[in-house]
Amino acid sequence: MSTGSITAIAPITLTEGAKKEVRKLISQQELGPDFGLRVGVEGGGCSGMNYVLGFDQIKDGDTEYNIDGIRVFMHKAHGLYLAGMEVDFQQGLNARGFVFNNPNATSTCGCGTSFSV
């Protein structure tokens, strides 16, 4: 696998709540140092595109970012859809989970994981 490149400025941000939850999940899943948080998009969902968020190893075509000590991998082509996006983690009574605040999305579905540009 390619090692990609580490870029100083990530096109996305993680809120303090999201960083705390990601660190907790890394610890619980006992992931090795070669794993990082993959953020991306894929075709599908009711609005045309779904967000991808999970742990993975770096792949060809990825750029690696360091967000407060968290390794983040994103395929270079996905930056177009995710630039400026904020990933948050909510623990409310009505919803619990990661929330995507994407300024590039022209519409989103009710579940919040599907969008169109």
Side-chain angles (χ1 to χ4, degrees), residues 76-92:
K76 293 173 186 172
H78 296 188
L80 174 70
Y81 304 105
L82 302 178
M85 183 176 77
E86 175 189 77
V87 180
D88 191 12
F89 185 79
Q90 307 248 322
Q91 295 191 50

Side-chain angles (χ1 to χ4, degrees), residues 40-53 82 85 97-100 102 105 107-116:
V41 296
E42 64 184 5
C46 53
S47 292
M49 299 185 91
N50 283 324
Y51 294 108
V52 173
L53 186 70
L82 302 178
M85 183 176 77
F98 289 97
V99 177
F100 305 93
N102 187 346
S107 65
T108 59
C109 68
C111 68
T113 61
S114 179
F115 71 103
S116 65

Side-chain angles (χ1 to χ4, degrees), residues 62-94:
D62 283 349
T63 299
E64 179 178 348
Y65 304 96
N66 184 321
I67 300 178
D68 291 335
I70 298 172
R71 292 179 77 189
V72 177
F73 307 140
M74 182 186 301
H75 192 278
K76 293 173 186 172
H78 296 188
L80 174 70
Y81 304 105
L82 302 178
M85 183 176 77
E86 175 189 77
V87 180
D88 191 12
F89 185 79
Q90 307 248 322
Q91 295 191 50
L93 294 174
N94 295 330

